[in-house]
DNA sequence: GAGTGGTCTAGACCACGAG
DNA sequence: TCGTGGTCTAGACCACTCA
């Protein structure tokens, strides 16, 4: 048995990909779609949620549901790289950064590999590109580093290749962990996303040659418009090769 | 204003982390929790979905909701690496592989960088570790490669470091794209997951020295029990260093 | 104010798991 | 068979956007 949600999503999806609904066009209202498909609004909404998670539909409270521009995706580049092809820089790109001091607590202690109450500097970065915020980053730097590097770091933070901050001094090791989860209350508010739609949760830790953590970044991207890319070249170190 | 869902999720979450609900323990039924919190079952279920996405709750149709063992997470290691610390090998690990031949169609054509109708070999790998399947992988290899390498590949595919297949001959470049989306109908059935919970969608393309694609892997992991790790050492290539 | 999507209700009915 | 979670309904009411 296949669910109503899926068959409705399949139907609308095909109407989008075949061009019956043009990109950027507004879909009929949820109530009219619901009556058209002879389902309740809840069921219809769960079908739209599927399409939203695929980036095919953009929902907008009070305005309507729109056929998504698949080009509006955020790309996170892993491995500390810069994108080789320069991205289409959106002139409306705007990043707000709030810096503050705090002491290491809870999950920050193992993350930063520091004793409790160690001085840290926190940067909260919200990236806008058009009206809806696109990404949220919380970046932590040890206090002793930020004292010497704070001023140099500031321009580095502003240097968002893809809107997400990169380190100024390249560390010797980058560890990135990715997972998906539903957004927290705060993230729903800040990113203005649906609380039922997953976010990409990226934790990036930069380690220097002595094993110290020089930066930890907690990044949150709305999953329906985000991709993360990693390009690696496995070291050509004397790898046994069968002849 | 904060939603009922969030406050209920917060309440149950705190009862879990403070140990009022032990790991592995069954939670009260949804109907009883709903009446306890004075909400409808739908609202209570959406609160549980939050906790499920955090890995705190395992839902099981017909049995109940259980406090999750956070240790049961799947880890995908990016960059073609093997995990340094050997993972706790589960003796119940079981992988089913189905090989088949097909011709390049649709999205496989740009993915594999081949002309339409090129012969490909497809491996569909389903990994089990205990009753619920843990991951789904669809791996494509060009036909000309599989002819010379098919027999050697088979043991390589069985060599799952983390349950996910790796290439036998190391390619010169690995491209991995990660995103999160809701599962398809098939994925819901195969992985036995909730259709409302996101999956991690990983597309991995391996490229050889001549730019040819030697393997493409489409991996699907249930997000609530999966992490992807990437560890990179930014090349110490004559990077300008301030004195 | 009119129309939109977002949250929530109080059920009905179905599918699954275990005895 | 019984209790569980999963799907779906037909609304009510709230929040947002825009004229």
């Amino acid at each position: 048995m296949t669910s109503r949600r899926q068959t409705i999503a399949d139907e609308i999806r095909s109407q989008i990909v075949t061009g019956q609904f043009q990109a950027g066009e507004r879909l009929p209202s949820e109530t009219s779609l619901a009556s058209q498909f002879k389902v309740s609004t809840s069921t219809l909404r769960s079908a739209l949620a599927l399409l939203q998670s695929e980036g095919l539909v953009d929902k907008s409270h009070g305005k309507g549901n729109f056929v998504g521009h698949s080009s509006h995706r955020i790309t996170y580049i892993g491995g500390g790289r810069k994108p080789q092809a320069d991205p289409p820089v959106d002139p409306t790109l705007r990043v707000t950064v709030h810096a503050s001091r705090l002491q290491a607590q809870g999950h920050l202690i193992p993350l930063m590999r520091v004793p409790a109450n160690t001085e840290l500097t926190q940067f909260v970065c919200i990236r806008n590109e058009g009206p809806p915020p696109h990404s949220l980053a919380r970046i932590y730097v040890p206090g002793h580093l930020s004292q010497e590097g704070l001023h140099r770091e500031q321009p580095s933070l502003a240097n968002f290749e893809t809107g997400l901050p990169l380190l100024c001094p390249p560390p010797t090791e980058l560890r990135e962990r990715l997972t998906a989860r539903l957004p927290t209350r705060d993230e729903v508010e800040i990113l203005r996303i649906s609380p039922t739609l997953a976010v990409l949760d990226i934790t990036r830790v930069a380690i220097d040659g002595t094993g110290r953590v020089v930066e930890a970044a907690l990044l949150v991207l709305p999953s329906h418009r985000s991709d993360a890319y990693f390009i690696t070249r496995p070291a050509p170190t004397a790898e046994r090769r069968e002849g």
Side-chain angles (χ1 to χ4, degrees), chain A residues 29-160:
Chain A
S29 74
E30 298 186 348
T31 52
S32 85
L33 283 173
S35 69
Q36 173 185 330
F37 286 108
K38 295 187 172 37
V39 293
S40 70
T41 57
S42 326
T43 302
L44 184 109
R45 283 173 52 73
S46 80
L48 287 180
L50 259 172
L51 301 174
Q52 189 188 10
S53 90
E54 300 169 20
L56 286 175
V57 166
D58 283 339
K59 305 190 117 266
S60 185
H61 191 174
K63 291 200 281 192
N65 299 309
F66 298 84
V67 177
H69 297 271
S70 57
S71 57
H72 285 180
R73 293 183 79 81
I74 312 171
T75 58
Y76 172 80
I77 308 284
R81 292 164 172 272
K82 300 198 195 309
Q84 36 223 78
D86 48 350
V89 177
D90 191 318
T92 68
L93 178 65
R94 186 165 48 88
V95 181
T96 67
V97 179
H98 285 269
S100 61
R101 293 245 165 199
L102 52 79
Q103 298 192 328
Q105 298 289 343
H107 70 290
L108 286 179
I109 294 172
L111 191 66
M112 300 293 296
R113 299 183 184 171
V114 292
N117 300 322
T118 302
E119 280 272 325
L120 301 176
T121 305
Q122 177 190 43
F123 300 92
V124 177
C125 311
I126 299 173
R127 176 173 177 256
N128 289 67
E129 193 170 346
H134 276 189
S135 69
L136 167 65
R138 280 157 290 194
I139 302 177
Y140 299 90
V141 179
H144 63 88
L145 266 187
S146 64
Q147 282 172 8
E148 51 183 89
L150 189 57
H151 307 91
R152 198 186 319 121
E153 220 132 29
Q154 202 65 10
S156 164
L157 286 170
N159 174 22
F160 295 80

